[in-house]
Amino acid sequence: MLENRLDVNNLSHAFIKANGEEIRIFQNLEFSVGPAEIVAIVGRSGAGKSTLFNLISGLLSPSAGNISLGRRDDGSPGSIAYMLQKDLLLPWRTILENAVLGIELQRPVTEADRSRARTRLARYGLESVANAYPQALSGGMKQRVALTRTLLANPTVVLLDEPFSALDYETRLMLENDVISLTRSEGTSVILVTHDIDEAIAMSHRIVVLGGRPAKITSEQHITLTVEGSNGERDAITARGAPEFPVYHKEIWSALRASDVAHAGV
Ligand SMILES: Nc1ncnc2c1ncn2[C@@H]1O[C@H](COP(=O)(O)OP(=O)(O)OP(=O)(O)O)[C@@H](O)[C@H]1O
Ligand SMILES: [Mg+2]
């Protein structure tokens, strides 16, 4: 059996408020992601989605429980890349230097890395600004640089926290496709937090609804779409035209509403 790329076991976490009151965000949460799997996490604002990412990435240490990363196919250790909800570029670095930052945090940057970075930036129409500084770019352009930086580091697990919310529709579909094809070509696993149900269905193999306090997985839905052409493999557009799409949309929507009701009752 293939090893999971990420296992979260028995995870508990609490924040202590200034008045000493404890807010329990998670209690005994169980969650796993398989190789090349895209899992979307949806849930109301404040449910704990970003906190879960902060725990998985190691920015926060859990009060209790285990988070383990699976190995690569060749047996070497896996690694995580995290694109934060409000990912910032460093203003004193050029776009190209920002793009290779994720690599630089792991090892020295090579010319081959810079060339891969340029190719990716070119795909997003950002070749001409590779040597410019972030203040010259629009919000959407900065977001694309942040995604480039995340994907260039060759991670086994990618955490994307509402990565496309600032983008126009066309760019959004293009980046969704990039993420889908990344899982296919590299076997990378992706966890995506989004408030957009269409995006969650179009991109994911599985959608997890997070709700309640402490938060738990209130619903889990596997997504199988029948798409035309391209060997039946989905992309961001064909997925949206699949006959199952509206059915999943309705199911996720009511699961989200049910999780809100569960929260209001706590
Ligand atoms: N450092 C902190 N100290 C105290 N409470 C915090 C801290 N970080 C987050 N929280 C609280 O934990 C809860 C979960 O926050 P989190 O940011 O994970 O939610 P979210 O699901 O990502 O929401 P959104 O969809 O708005 O991004 C919220 O009630 C928030 O106020
Ligand atoms: Mg958040």
Side-chain angles (χ1 to χ4, degrees), residues 126-139:
L126 295 170
E127 201 177 17
S128 60
V129 293
N131 297 319
Y133 288 86
Q135 72 258 26
L137 273 61
S138 69

Side-chain angles (χ1 to χ4, degrees), residues 125-199:
L126 295 170
E127 201 177 17
S128 60
V129 293
N131 297 319
Y133 288 86
Q135 72 258 26
L137 273 61
S138 69
M141 289 162 100
K142 286 184 202 160
Q143 203 74 347
R144 281 177 269 169
V145 177
L147 183 67
T148 303
R149 174 171 71 192
T150 308
L151 301 186
L152 271 175
N154 196 23
T156 49
V157 178
V158 176
L159 310 178
L160 301 175
D161 198 348
E162 293 184 54
F164 310 135
S165 46
L167 303 174
D168 62 85
Y169 195 60
E170 202 183 339
T171 310
R172 187 178 189 128
L173 294 183
M174 183 177 159
L175 297 202
E176 286 178 12
N177 272 337
D178 272 5
V179 173
I180 295 170
S181 54
L182 180 82
T183 63
R184 241 177 246 142
S185 62
E186 311 287 328
T188 312
S189 304
V190 176
I191 313 175
L192 167 81
V193 164
T194 179
H195 283 283
D196 182 338
I197 300 178
D198 285 9
E199 181 169 276

Side-chain angles (χ1 to χ4, degrees), residues 45-46 48-51 85 161-162 193 195:
S45 192
K49 305 177 298 293
S50 297
T51 303
Q85 189 163 4
D161 198 348
E162 293 184 54
V193 164
H195 283 283

Side-chain angles (χ1 to χ4, degrees), residues 88-109:
L88 297 174
L89 303 180
L90 302 177
W92 59 89
R93 281 180 164 237
T94 64
I95 296 306
L96 186 70
E97 288 167 343
N98 266 290
V100 297
L101 184 68
I103 300 173
E104 200 176 317
L105 294 174
Q106 298 176 3
R107 57 169 175 77
V109 176

Side-chain angles (χ1 to χ4, degrees), residues 51-106:
T51 303
L52 181 61
F53 274 9
N54 292 342
L55 289 163
I56 292 173
S57 64
L59 286 181
L60 285 175
S61 301
S63 315
N66 263 314
I67 295 165
S68 51
L69 261 188
R71 287 182 293 270
R72 294 174 195 273
D73 293 343
D74 67 2
S76 62
S79 68
I80 287 187
Y82 182 9
M83 183 166 157
L84 296 158
Q85 189 163 4
K86 291 196 172 67
D87 216 338
L88 297 174
L89 303 180
L90 302 177
W92 59 89
R93 281 180 164 237
T94 64
I95 296 306
L96 186 70
E97 288 167 343
N98 266 290
V100 297
L101 184 68
I103 300 173
E104 200 176 317
L105 294 174
Q106 298 176 3

